[in-house]
Amino acid sequence: MALRLLTHFDVRADVLPSLAAEAGDTGVLETAYESLRVLNIERNGNIIYTYKDNKGNAVFGIYDCQTRQNEHLYTFEKDMQAVSCSVNSERTLLAASFVQYTKEGVRSELHPGSKCLTLLVEIHPVDSVKVLKAVDSCIWVQFLYPHAESHRLQSHLLLISEEKYIERFHIQITREDGNRVVIRNSSHLPRDRIAEDFVWAQWDMSEQRLYYVELEQSKSVLKCIQFWADESFTLMFEMPLDISLSGLRFKFVNFGYDYRQDQEKLCNQPSLCVFTNHTGSLCVCYSPKFDSWEEVTYSVFYLHKGYRKTFTAAPGSAGSHVAKGITFLNLGCLVAVYIPGHFLHLLNIQHPDLTCHSLFLTGSKMAAVLPPSPLQSLPGSLVLDCSSGKVYRATVDQSYLMWFLWNAARLDCDKMAALHCALLCGQDPGFQEDQVIQWICEHASACHSFDLIQELLIASSYWSVYPELADVDKLLAHSSVLAWNEEIPGVMLVTEELPLLLMKVYNLTGYWAKLNSNLEYVKYTKPHLHYHNSVVRREWHSLVSEEKTGKRRSTMYVRNILDNAVKVILNMETRTLEPRLIPLLQEEDRHQRLLVGLLNLTWCMLETIWRKHSAHPWVPRLNKHGSAAEFEVFHLMTRILDATNSLCFPLPPGFHSLHTTLGVHCLPLYNLLHYIDNGVLLLTETAVTRLMKDLDNSEKNEKLKFSIVARLPPLLGQKVCRFWDHPMSSNIISRNHVAQLLKDYKKEPRNSMIGKSSFPTEFLPLNCFIEILTGLESSHQALCGFEGQDNVDSEFVEEAALKHTTVLLGL
C-alpha cells in the first residue's frame, strides 16, 4: 500500500476498557459501544468523545494522548444529540451544542422553542450551566488555546453558526474556595463578531488559524485570521480564488464531524481544504462538483509559489462508478489526492514545478490504501476516520515504494517520483537508505531521461539537510532535472499563474515570516534561481592548483576546509555498525578533502554491490584476474565518477586508487591506458606503488609498468620507481640522484690526479665521475646533513650506469 496508516487512537479500543472498569455493567457498555463517537480534537492532541449511557444521557469524556488516560468531563441528564464540543486548556469549562429531539421527534423540554442548543458549563467542579445560544440553526463550538499551558483567568470561545457568522466569547473566570472555578458575570459575556457572510470555513487547531471563503461580487475570496497568544487576532491575507462553489452546502472543516450529513450527497459537492507546512508552504486544494464520472478534475493552488495546477484524471475503467468523493490529505511535504479504488496522487508541494516529482498511481499499482469511509485530514499528518472513530498517522509506505521501484515502475517519470517520495520521507525513523541504493546499483542504466546516480546524490543531499535549513533551501539543487516535458500517463495538467498573495501584516514571525520569504523569492527572482556548481568548481580547481604549486591564500581558510572534511569522514565511519568491506578512507586524499560532501552514499553503493557477491572484505591483489564482483564494482565506480564529475561532487578518499586498481584487474592494457589518457582513471601514488610492489617482472607486467611510469608526473615517478626492482627504475633513480647533486655544481681545479683506482672497474671516465659524486655527497652531508635516500649513493649510481651500458652494448 502506498500509504501506511498507523493507529494513533481508536475510540473503542482506547475508551471502552476504561468505561468497563468504571461501570462494571454490561448494559452500559452495550449502549456506549453503539453510540460512542469522536466529537473534536483539541490543539494539544486531546480527543473529546461522547456516548449515551444506559439511561440515554449524553456523556462527554476526554482522552489524553500524552498520558493515554481517559477523564470524564460532564454528563447531561437529557437525551440529546451532541453536535459539537470543546473544552478549554485548563479543563475548567466545557462548551457543547446539541440538536434537541426526543424519540418521538418532539423538541426537548430544556428549551422547547429552538432546534439547536449551545451550552457553557463549569466543570471544575461541575456547577452551573449557561445557555449561550438557542436557535434554529446548527452551532459549532471551539475554545481557543494559548501557545503555552497556563492557568489563565480568561478563556475565549468561538461559536460558528450555520447562519454564516462566527463570534468570539470572552469568558472571565474567578477561583473560589480554593480551586473552584466560577464564570464571572455569566449573564453578560462580552463577544465580538469575527466573520460573517461566508460559505466555507476551516479550523487549524494546531496553529490556531481560521480560514474562510466569502463571496464578493460573485467571486470566492479566501481569508485567514490568526489568533495570537496575547488573545488578539489579525486578518493575515485575502486571496481571490477562481473556483465555483455553486451547489456547496454550507460546510465546516475540522470543527468536528457532522454525523447528520448524508455522505452520498456530500460526494457530489465541491471539496475545498487548506494545507500548510512549517517551511512556509500554503496550498488550497479544490475539487468542483462532479458533472461526469468519466473524469475527475482537481486543482491545487500553490499560493507560496504563485501558480495553480489543475489535474484531470480518469478515475478508473470505463463505466466504473465513483461511490466516494475525492479526499485530500496533508502529509507534510506531500499532499495526497485520493479516490478509493481509483487513483492516488502524491503531490510534492515543496517542489511542485515538475510533474515528475509527484507520484500518480492507478489501479493495481495503487492497491487499497485507505478506508472507504469519510476521512478528515488533520495537522501533523493525522487522519480521522469519521465512521469508525479512529485517528491514524498517515505516512508514505517505504516498503511499498521499494516494491514499486523493483516491480512496477516502468516509466522514467514513475522512477523519478518514487525515488523522491522515498528520499523525502527518509527523515522518518526506520528509513533504510541502503534499499534505495541497492535498487540504483542494480538499475544504474535503466533511465534515459536522467542519471539515476546523479539524482540520488543531489536529492539525498537536499532532503537530508532540508529540515535544518531556513531560506537556503531555495538556492540548493533538489534534482538533477531542470525541465520535464513528458506527459504523465493517466493525468492531464494545466498550469496557470496567480497574482501573488499580499500579506496584510508586517514584522512577521514564525510560519508567516517563512511564507512571506517564499512570496518575496517568487516576486523578485525571475527567472527563478537554480543552483549551478560553476562557482564551487572554480573554487575547487583553484584550491587544487594552489595545493600543487604550494601557493595558498590563507592557511586558516584551507585548514577550516580540511577540518570540516575530517568531521564528515569521522561521522561516516561511525554511521554504520556493520564492518566495511570496501577499503576506502585509508589514505590521505587532500584534493578530495577540499570538497567533502556526500561521501557516504558512494561508499554505500560500492558496499551494496560487493555484498551481493561476497560477505568478506575485498583485498586488492593485482597478480590475479578480476572476479565478477570486481568487474561489477569497477563498472559502477565508472558510472559514479561520470556522475560526480559533472556535478562537482566529492568522492571518498581512496576512491581513485581503488578505481585504478580495479581497472588494472579488469581491463586489457590497451583499454586501461585509454582510460588513463582520457582522465577516467587517475594514477594515484597509492595505486601505482601497489602495482610496482605486487606485480612481478614478467614480460607482460614490465610492459604495463613501463606504460604507467611513462605517464607519471616527474616527482611521482621518482617516488614509485624506488619500489620497482628493475634496471629501468635504477636508471631513473640514478639520474634523479645525479641531477640533484649537480644542480649547484661548479667545476673547480683539481689538486691531484687520481692515483691507482680504488674502483672495481677500470673505466676512467666513469671513475672520475663517481669520484666527483662522492665528493659532492660528502660536502652535502657536511653542510646540509644530506643522506642518500633508500641507499642511493655514488656506488648505486656506478652500478646502475654499468648495467645500463651493458644493456645498450648488448653484452
Side-chain angles (χ1 to χ4, degrees):
M1 300 188 300
L3 292 182
R4 180 174 54 182
L5 299 182
L6 304 176
T7 302
H8 180 70
F9 168 79
D10 185 337
V11 69
R12 292 187 171 88
D14 291 319
V15 175
L16 286 178
S18 176
L19 297 181
E22 293 177 4
D25 185 348
T26 56
V28 174
L29 285 181
E30 290 177 1
T31 306
Y33 183 87
E34 294 296 328
S35 58
L36 186 62
R37 54 193 176 87
V38 173
L39 276 183
N40 195 8
I41 301 178
E42 300 288 8
R43 180 184 185 187
N44 52 18
N46 295 340
I47 300 171
I48 298 177
Y49 53 86
T50 185
Y51 62 92
K52 296 291 183 67
D53 62 14
N54 55 356
K55 297 179 182 179
N57 298 326
V59 183
F60 294 91
I62 190 168
Y63 177 81
D64 192 319
C65 289
Q66 299 297 323
T67 64
R68 307 193 73 81
Q69 298 294 319
N70 289 280
E71 177 183 337
H72 173 262
L73 291 177
Y74 191 73
T75 299
F76 285 94
E77 296 181 352
K78 300 291 180 182
D79 188 4
M80 298 188 296
Q81 182 73 26
V83 174
S84 175
C85 181
S86 183
V87 64
N88 65 349
S89 60
E90 296 83 10
R91 297 190 194 176
T92 58
L93 299 175
L94 179 141
S97 60
F98 302 88
V99 175
Q100 298 190 84
Y101 71 98
T102 64
K103 292 182 179 179
E104 292 78 21
V106 182
R107 298 274 172 87
S108 167
E109 70 277 7
L110 185 64
H111 209 287
S114 60
K115 169 186 173 183
C116 184
L117 189 66
T118 305
L119 304 177
L120 178 64
V121 187
E122 298 167 355
I123 60 172
H124 189 73
V126 173
D127 200 348
S128 65
V129 177
K130 173 179 173 54
V131 176
L132 292 179
K133 290 278 185 180
V135 293
D136 282 337
S137 58
C138 203
I139 298 288
W140 286 263
V141 293
Q142 178 63 57
F143 273 103
L144 298 179
Y145 272 55
H147 284 260
E149 297 293 333
S150 62
H151 296 285
R152 302 170 302 149
L153 296 178
Q154 182 171 337
S155 291
H156 300 273
L157 177 68
L158 295 182
L159 261 67
I160 305 93
S161 171
E162 205 171 25
E163 294 182 349
K164 303 181 181 180
Y165 68 85
I166 299 177
E167 291 182 331
R168 182 177 63 161
F169 282 78
H170 306 270
I171 307 169
Q172 300 286 341
I173 62 174
T174 59
R175 296 185 181 272
E176 300 177 355
D177 302 330
N179 291 326
R180 181 168 177 248
V181 174
V182 178
I183 299 174
R184 184 192 303 173
N185 196 17
S186 61
S187 60
H188 298 285
L189 295 179
R191 70 182 79 175
D192 44 28
R193 187 66 60 98
I194 300 294
E196 56 188 352
D197 295 331
F198 59 91
V199 295
W200 172 93
Q202 175 179 318
W203 175 245
D204 184 337
M205 78 271 195
S206 177
E207 300 299 333
Q208 301 288 279
R209 299 184 193 125
L210 174 67
Y211 301 96
Y212 59 99
V213 173
E214 292 182 357
L215 294 180
E216 298 180 359
Q217 298 178 352
S218 301
K219 292 185 178 180
S220 301
V221 179
L222 175 68
K223 299 184 180 182
C224 175
I225 290 177
Q226 174 73 65
F227 294 93
W228 305 104
D230 63 358
E231 301 169 352
S232 63
F233 67 90
T234 305
L235 178 63
M236 300 303 296
F237 66 80
E238 298 180 3
M239 181 66 187
L241 298 178
D242 184 15
I243 59 176
S244 173
L245 295 179
S246 61
L248 175 66
R249 179 183 180 274
F250 186 70
K251 186 176 181 180
F252 293 128
V253 179
N254 294 351
F255 281 107
Y257 175 59
D258 188 351
Y259 290 82
R260 303 171 300 119
Q261 291 181 344
D262 186 342
Q263 295 305 314
E264 290 294 332
K265 291 182 179 179
L266 285 179
C267 292
N268 295 325
Q269 292 191 13
S271 178
L272 185 68
C273 54
V274 177
F275 294 146
T276 62
N277 183 275
H278 68 279
T279 60
S281 65
L282 175 59
C283 293
V284 179
C285 301
Y286 165 73
S287 177
K289 179 181 178 181
F290 291 170
D291 295 324
S292 169
W293 295 111
E294 295 180 358
E295 60 181 24
V296 175
T297 299
Y298 51 96
S299 297
V300 179
F301 294 77
Y302 298 96
L303 299 185
H304 59 295
K305 295 288 186 179
Y307 53 75
R308 164 189 183 173
K309 288 182 179 289
T310 300
F311 304 90
T312 302
S317 58
S320 63
H321 178 64
V322 180
K324 303 295 181 180
I326 198 165
T327 299
F328 298 105
L329 299 178
N330 185 4
L331 305 179
C333 291
L334 294 173
V335 164
V337 185
Y338 174 64
I339 293 184
H342 293 276
F343 71 81
L344 171 69
H345 200 174
L346 294 175
L347 296 169
N348 186 329
I349 64 170
Q350 193 66 21
H351 297 286
D353 300 8
L354 305 183
T355 56
C356 61
H357 294 145
S358 298
L359 184 60
F360 185 77
L361 301 172
T362 58
S364 59
K365 292 181 180 180
M366 180 189 65
V369 292
L370 295 174
S373 53
L375 298 177
Q376 185 171 306
S377 184
L378 305 171
S381 300
L382 295 179
V383 178
L384 171 62
D385 182 346
C386 305
S387 297
S388 68
K390 293 182 180 180
V391 178
Y392 301 98
R393 188 172 299 280
T395 61
V396 176
D397 192 336
Q398 298 289 336
S399 59
Y400 173 84
L401 288 178
M402 294 315 305
W403 175 89
F404 179 77
L405 284 172
W406 281 100
N407 301 285
R410 299 289 181 263
L411 303 176
D412 285 1
C413 59
D414 291 339
K415 296 170 187 175
M416 171 78 83
L419 175 62
H420 271 265
C421 285
L423 295 176
L424 184 154
C425 302
Q427 308 161 39
D428 300 334
F431 172 65
Q432 300 294 326
E433 193 175 58
D434 59 341
Q435 297 178 12
V436 177
I437 292 173
Q438 183 178 358
W439 175 76
I440 286 182
C441 290
E442 297 285 339
H443 300 81
S445 305
C447 294
H448 305 288
S449 306
F450 63 98
D451 188 306
L452 264 178
I453 295 177
Q454 285 189 352
E455 196 64 23
L456 171 68
L457 293 174
I458 294 180
S460 181
S461 63
Y462 176 85
W463 291 115
S464 63
V465 300
Y466 150 80
E468 304 170 8
L469 299 177
D471 295 330
V472 186
D473 64 310
K474 302 181 190 67
L475 305 178
L476 294 180
H478 70 281
S479 173
S480 63
V481 177
L482 299 180
W484 190 272
N485 299 319
E486 300 178 19
E487 293 185 357
I488 308 299
V491 61
M492 295 184 293
L493 169 66
V494 176
T495 303
E496 306 168 69
E497 287 195 8
L498 296 175
L500 280 182
L501 191 71
L502 182 61
M503 304 298 295
K504 290 182 170 289
V505 180
Y506 299 97
N507 300 323
L508 299 166
T509 59
Y511 164 81
W512 296 110
K514 293 179 180 178
L515 173 59
N516 196 54
S517 175
N518 288 335
L519 295 173
E520 289 184 345
Y521 173 79
V522 174
K523 181 178 181 180
Y524 295 112
T525 57
K526 291 188 177 182
H528 298 325
L529 299 177
H530 291 290
Y531 168 82
H532 197 273
N533 59 43
S534 57
V535 175
V536 176
R537 183 182 299 275
R538 185 167 60 248
E539 180 69 5
W540 185 35
H541 287 172
S542 177
L543 287 169
V544 171
S545 176
E546 293 171 6
E547 189 76 15
K548 291 179 178 179
T549 59
K551 298 178 181 179
R552 292 180 179 174
R553 288 165 288 176
S554 169
T555 304
M556 183 61 68
Y557 174 64
V558 177
R559 184 183 301 165
N560 288 338
I561 293 176
L562 297 178
D563 287 347
N564 288 336
V566 170
K567 294 176 184 177
V568 173
I569 291 171
L570 287 176
N571 180 52
M572 288 169 54
E573 293 173 334
T574 57
R575 280 182 66 177
T576 180
L577 299 178
E578 294 185 358
R580 301 283 195 173
L581 304 184
I582 296 294
L584 295 178
L585 306 187
Q586 297 181 3
E587 67 180 78
E588 179 75 16
D589 190 337
R590 294 179 63 83
H591 291 176
Q592 288 300 323
R593 285 175 185 256
L594 292 171
L595 188 65
V596 163
L598 276 186
L599 309 183
N600 194 59
L601 275 178
T602 302
W603 200 349
C604 288
M605 282 189 277
L606 301 182
E607 289 275 332
T608 300
I609 285 294
W610 184 260
R611 289 181 189 276
K612 174 184 173 182
H613 295 276
S614 174
H616 303 290
W618 183 67
V619 179
R621 293 188 179 91
L622 288 172
N623 53 358
K624 293 185 177 180
H625 292 292
S627 63
E630 288 171 333
F631 271 94
E632 195 163 348
V633 172
F634 174 76
H635 175 70
L636 179 62
M637 293 184 78
T638 305
R639 293 296 303 264
I640 292 173
L641 185 66
D642 180 60
T644 55
N645 277 343
S646 59
L647 296 175
C648 198
F649 265 39
L651 294 165
F655 181 93
H656 288 297
S657 296
L658 178 61
H659 192 206
T660 300
T661 302
L662 286 171
V664 174
H665 267 263
C666 303
L667 297 177
L669 179 59
Y670 173 81
N671 297 94
L672 175 69
L673 298 180
H674 181 72
Y675 274 52
I676 293 172
D677 293 338
N678 286 276
V680 179
L681 296 176
L682 299 187
L683 298 176
T684 65
E685 181 178 346
T686 301
V688 178
T689 299
R690 180 178 293 144
L691 184 146
M692 296 299 173
K693 287 182 176 180
D694 291 359
L695 295 182
D696 59 23
N697 287 331
S698 65
E699 181 179 353
K700 178 182 177 181
N701 290 340
E702 277 192 356
K703 186 177 181 181
L704 169 62
K705 291 181 180 181
F706 281 137
S707 302
I708 295 296
V709 170
R711 287 166 168 79
L712 294 177
L715 292 178
L716 180 57
Q718 297 171 22
K719 294 178 70 174
V720 300
C721 279
R722 302 179 187 279
F723 302 102
W724 184 19
D725 184 15
H726 189 274
M728 176 59 72
S729 64
S730 300
N731 185 27
I732 295 173
I733 293 171
S734 299
R735 288 176 180 273
N736 292 331
H737 181 70
V738 171
Q740 183 180 4
L741 290 175
L742 296 181
K743 64 180 179 180
D744 297 323
Y745 172 67
K746 295 181 180 180
K747 185 176 181 181
E748 297 179 357
R750 303 185 60 193
N751 296 327
S752 61
M753 295 295 294
I754 298 178
K756 183 173 177 58
S757 174
S758 60
F759 296 98
T761 303
E762 294 296 335
F763 183 49
L764 291 182
L766 179 60
N767 294 348
C768 180
F769 181 59
I770 296 302
E771 182 183 17
I772 294 173
L773 292 183
T774 303
L776 290 173
E777 286 177 352
S778 301
S779 301
H780 274 270
Q781 187 171 5
L783 294 174
C784 309
F786 172 82
E787 295 182 1
Q789 298 179 351
D790 297 338
N791 299 320
V792 178
D793 54 16
S794 56
E795 293 184 9
F796 181 88
V797 172
E798 179 187 22
E799 182 180 354
L802 290 172
K803 287 182 178 179
H804 185 63
T805 304
T806 302
V807 171
L808 290 178
L809 295 176
L811 300 176

